[in-house]
Amino acid sequence: MNQVLLKAPDLPTMGTRLLFLKQVYDDLLMDAPSAKESHECAALLTPHFSSEDLSTKPTELHQIPPKSDAHTSSTLDSAMFCINDEHEACKHESHSEHLAKEIILLQLTLIKMMLLKVKSQELAAGIKQKYLDIMRILLKDISVDAKLIYLLCSSDKLLSHMASKSLVSLIHFQLTEEGSLNSAWLAFSSETLLGFPSSRWLAQCLWALTDLIRETLKDEGLCEKGDLEVVLGPLDKIFEGIYNSAASYYSDLPQDIAISPKVTNDLSSFLDLLEMLVASRIQVPLNCSCQRMVFLNASCVLDLSTAPLHYLIKKKSITLLKTCILQKAGEDVIKKKMPSSSHQDSHFEPDRLALAGAVLQHVNSGWLNKLSVGENVSHFGGSQVKPEVDLCHRSDQVTLRALSLILLKALEIKIQDSSSEVYIQVQLESVMGPLLRFLGKHLRFPLCVHLFEHPCVWVSMLFIEQDDDLLEAAKALLTIHLKLERFRHGVGVVLCHSDNKDALMHQNGCNPHCIFLFLLKSIAFDATVLLDFLISFETCFLEYFVRYLKLLVEDWHQFVEISKYLEPGSSGNDCQLDSNAKNILSDPQSSIMWISSSSQKLSSPQNIDHRMIKPNRSNFWPVSDSPSLPGSLQRLVDYESSDDSEPECFGRNVRQAPTQRLWIFHLAHMRAPL
């Protein structure tokens, strides 16, 4: 008989206790004062389980005999609920066990709710003070933190999760009130982390740590007071030790070894923690070793991506490197803000350069040949794949995009730091060649049999489903091209002649004009999509577009020549401009006049003056003549707010609106907004 005995002599029965807890819950929802005294409320919120040997010292959790994970979980849960297996099971006692669990879950929920209420600015001062008194009683007199740590180590996932959330809220509360880290939690965390990789509750500890750092970063007040250093300081060297040993420990495993779910869970939790540590560096750089270790020793994460581990770990390793090199770690959970001038990280650029160097070194050593990419099958709520779905065409494009961006950004960073044209050419070929060959094995599209007959098409094909990644890739390749252009126009001996340079960029899929034309094709030459990109804060399109327009004005004839060769059938890509566009391309000034005349049919003219730029190779400033452009074309560049663009009359059918195809050429001669 599984019997749950909640031994609390001075407390009401479980049924009465549950009613009292529900009343506390109603009072919290209504922001109403509780009729009970603070000590009585604290007693009601305290989880009770009949473990006689439960101590406030969390290190004693490790004294449970380490026979096996299953035995440990059974021992812990039996102690928690005082399960007696000597009697036969019955419905009444099964109900009692369920009720005991529900009471503990409700207590954990109420603790978290009360801590959230304490932060509210709208709560009455008297009620807030009572909540503060209850929390102090729970921490000082009842040592509820030790009980929550005990529950955190439960095999019951729901109990463990709720205990983690409530524990993090309590630790965060102490940071706010006292500016110190909970001593019981620090002792438990230190001992658990030092036991890596054999610690039984490593994942649970890492979950709570990750959540604590996340909550601290969300609280600008705590960051300003330096409380993040209070959290990271005592564990800094421990984090670094785990990080340095993780890759070597797991990369040496035999390829055919069976990886346990615990190992996968532990490593997944550790990678989540690493992302929060990198995010903390971006938000509050403290020059802690744990904030810099991914940058200074990127080989650990790179090796995890090729170790004989679950594919989830490999994918998360690649994703972590992407967020690091793009400075986007934690952006999904933390409101992005620029660090104050007093917190500028002088080591960031050198560390980022070290990260880029490690990536390129791994590529040169054949890292891509050891990297595996899983399948990306969408079930849409079911568990079966339709028979007609060809799985070999469904490689995990999220991982492919992340991998490609890592290599492109690493190449961009190293090239920007270089002053040698020969070095740039060598790096470009040593990275882009292996990358294109790697993608050629995984990118298979039914409509594109000859995928890389034109290498530059890979950017649009791979990134079309993720516009922010698409524009990051295009911007990185544009930067590489402009770096070579500076050598081309620089003073001194030019090692890379124009024709060779253009061939080099084409062969390696880096020509900015091809990339931009394929980008236009991928959005069906729709000017409204470009406009959405321009006004969006979610992508770097404006920065990329302004830089590309400057290049386009300088390199117009090269753009024209490239556009002539994008014919259907010649490269396996249907990217031909219509006949009017093709004829007008050779004369940029005529293209402007053609746009002006053809757009008369779309909208009535408005008396708004626009200054224009003539397409010459030396002048980027507006000239004196400023022909008035009619209709929608004017609104595309001169509305004062998004409301002014509401009556946009451009349609999305390219065949019906050929003006859209030349809208970009019109913009190329206008003064780009800075």
mmCIF file of all heavy atoms in Angstrom, residues 28 103 638:
data_model
loop_
_atom_site.group_PDB
_atom_site.id
_atom_site.type_symbol
_atom_site.label_atom_id
_atom_site.label_comp_id
_atom_site.label_asym_id
_atom_site.label_seq_id
_atom_site.Cartn_x
_atom_site.Cartn_y
_atom_site.Cartn_z
ATOM 1 N N LEU A 28 -4.473 36.461 -3.400
ATOM 2 C CA LEU A 28 -3.399 36.941 -4.261
ATOM 3 C C LEU A 28 -3.935 37.467 -5.586
ATOM 4 O O LEU A 28 -3.479 38.491 -6.099
ATOM 5 C CB LEU A 28 -2.392 35.822 -4.521
ATOM 6 C CG LEU A 28 -1.380 35.535 -3.406
ATOM 7 C CD1 LEU A 28 -0.627 34.241 -3.703
ATOM 8 C CD2 LEU A 28 -0.398 36.686 -3.259
ATOM 9 N N ILE A 103 -1.037 19.523 -3.170
ATOM 10 C CA ILE A 103 -0.815 20.553 -2.155
ATOM 11 C C ILE A 103 0.572 21.170 -2.320
ATOM 12 O O ILE A 103 0.748 22.394 -2.277
ATOM 13 C CB ILE A 103 -0.985 19.959 -0.739
ATOM 14 C CG1 ILE A 103 -2.466 19.672 -0.470
ATOM 15 C CG2 ILE A 103 -0.437 20.906 0.321
ATOM 16 C CD1 ILE A 103 -2.728 18.983 0.849
ATOM 17 N N ASP A 638 9.239 58.922 -49.425
ATOM 18 C CA ASP A 638 9.030 60.221 -48.808
ATOM 19 C C ASP A 638 7.816 60.264 -47.894
ATOM 20 O O ASP A 638 7.257 61.309 -47.661
ATOM 21 C CB ASP A 638 8.877 61.286 -49.901
ATOM 22 C CG ASP A 638 9.062 62.683 -49.321
ATOM 23 O OD1 ASP A 638 10.048 62.884 -48.604
ATOM 24 O OD2 ASP A 638 8.209 63.537 -49.584
#
